Amino acid sequence: MRFVHGFISSVLWIIAIPLLLIAVARLLPFDGMIPLPHLVALTPWATLATLPLLIVALFARRKVLAVLLAAALAGYVYWLAPFFVPPSTSSPADPAHPGTLRVMTVNVLYGQADAQTVVGLVESQHVEVLAVQELTPAFEEALTAAGLDELLPHSFTVAADDSPAGSGLWSSTPLAEEEELPGTSFAMPSALVGVDGTSVRVTVVHPHPPMPTDITAWRTELAQLTEHVHADDARQILAGDFNATYDHAGFRDLLGSRFSDATREWGAGPAVTWPEGSQVPPLFALDHVVVERDMPVSDVVTMQVPGTDHRAVLATVVVE
């Protein structure tokens, strides 16, 4: 009998230790070292796994383990619950209102995404600003052939052949003060967009991913982006593949007290966007629309695009 109890206890601890480590990693105010970025990305899924394990630990009378799991679960719920709190506004914003901006971002996987689908979403979803990552010259031509220039005639693109380094920004209204964030692995173009008399700087975001062998570029580029956007007094919207979830400290540092993640503000749950298009369902919310904290958001959704491993993210942003 002792052997059975000991075996059950060992199994419970073996399952629990990774869940407890994820909670500790999420609690830390930094994530710039291996394996922290990869652990904290699992936070939403650790939440789902911790509850049944806690119930088993309680029935098995493993008091110490139950207390630790209860503390971890409390943290997980605290971190995750705001994603399910709807906005205080009584009705969704009207995308046709001149003070709103319908924004869409999509990573097109080295230009392998279906351009017709992208343009179709732009048209059907009344997109006014499109941010594209991993843009190639061939995909830019395919977008033009599919009619994107007729819907969004103004653009600032930095395409790259056979590389994830390209990015592009399209708009229904003229762009001004175009610039590119210097010193990054992948292009991050930005420009001012006019919204009912207000200029908003829209930036296409795509920092280097946190590779297990080296996360220096990821940490450095997120920090560089954070410093750059917070130094700019212009009202801003950031859209793209951030290669980070809300649970990453680097992403929360980027938000600071100034910006909000549109998905979290909309309150319909985390918008998982990667990996897409395989037998594994999307697990991580890497793609975001980030807005000024005083900009309400509405109708934040994800959409499938054939040919890419990311889902597109769309949001209506109330600028004025």
Side-chain angles (χ1 to χ4, degrees):
M1 198 65 174
R2 285 184 178 179
F3 172 79
V4 173
H5 282 293
F7 177 76
I8 293 174
S9 181
S10 297
V11 170
L12 289 175
W13 276 102
I14 290 172
I15 298 173
I17 286 174
L19 300 176
L20 297 174
L21 288 176
I22 292 170
V24 171
R26 176 59 173 81
L27 189 63
L28 295 174
F30 58 88
D31 54 17
M33 62 179 67
I34 297 294
L36 295 181
H38 309 97
L39 284 176
V40 299
L42 296 167
T43 295
W45 305 110
T47 307
L48 298 179
T50 301
L51 178 58
L53 190 61
L54 172 59
I55 294 172
V56 173
L58 288 171
F59 275 105
R61 298 181 180 179
R62 297 298 184 266
K63 295 182 180 179
V64 173
L65 179 58
V67 168
L68 292 175
L69 288 172
L73 183 60
Y76 286 141
V77 171
Y78 174 77
W79 295 320
L80 195 59
F83 281 94
F84 296 92
V85 178
S88 57
T89 53
S90 58
S91 60
D94 180 6
H97 189 278
T100 66
L101 199 63
R102 186 66 169 164
V103 179
M104 172 174 159
T105 177
V106 60
N107 181 318
V108 296
L109 186 61
Y110 292 77
Q112 297 180 52
D114 184 74
Q116 290 280 359
T117 299
V118 173
V119 175
L121 286 175
V122 169
E123 183 173 18
S124 65
Q125 295 294 314
H126 309 290
V127 172
E128 296 162 286
V129 168
L130 172 66
V132 174
Q133 304 87 56
E134 303 197 13
L135 177 70
T136 63
F139 191 76
E140 185 172 358
E141 292 176 4
L143 289 174
T144 298
L148 181 61
D149 293 349
E150 298 171 12
L151 301 170
L152 304 177
H154 308 280
S155 63
F156 174 32
T157 63
V158 185
D161 260 323
D162 302 320
S163 165
S167 293
L169 176 65
W170 281 262
S171 171
S172 60
T173 58
L175 302 175
E177 296 186 23
E178 300 171 353
E179 64 178 39
E180 186 180 349
L181 188 68
T184 58
S185 304
F186 308 148
M188 297 197 211
S190 73
L192 292 179
V193 176
V195 184
D196 196 26
T198 298
S199 293
V200 179
R201 179 163 292 281
V202 180
T203 301
V204 184
V205 174
H206 194 201
H208 198 279
M211 304 302 291
T213 54
D214 179 19
I215 63 168
T216 302
W218 175 75
R219 181 180 64 238
T220 302
E221 291 181 14
L222 266 182
Q224 180 184 358
L225 177 64
T226 299
E227 180 180 0
H228 183 79
V229 298
H230 281 272
D232 191 340
D233 293 332
R235 291 173 67 73
Q236 296 181 64
I237 296 173
L238 317 175
D241 173 8
F242 286 71
N243 276 310
T245 71
Y246 186 87
D247 294 303
H248 287 97
F251 181 74
R252 297 195 306 277
D253 288 343
L254 171 66
L255 298 179
S257 60
R258 177 175 176 179
F259 298 106
S260 296
D261 178 16
T263 299
R264 193 169 187 262
E265 292 303 305
W266 182 232
V272 290
T273 60
W274 183 89
E276 176 62 64
S278 67
Q279 293 182 344
V280 178
L283 299 173
F284 306 110
L286 302 184
D287 303 82
H288 307 268
V289 174
V290 169
V291 301
E292 300 276 354
R293 194 170 289 272
D294 63 352
M295 290 181 181
V297 297
S298 181
D299 300 318
V300 183
V301 296
T302 64
M303 295 284 185
Q304 292 179 312
V305 177
T308 179
D309 58 347
H310 286 254
R311 287 184 177 179
V313 178
L314 298 100
T316 299
V317 183
V318 182
V319 175
E320 290 292 336

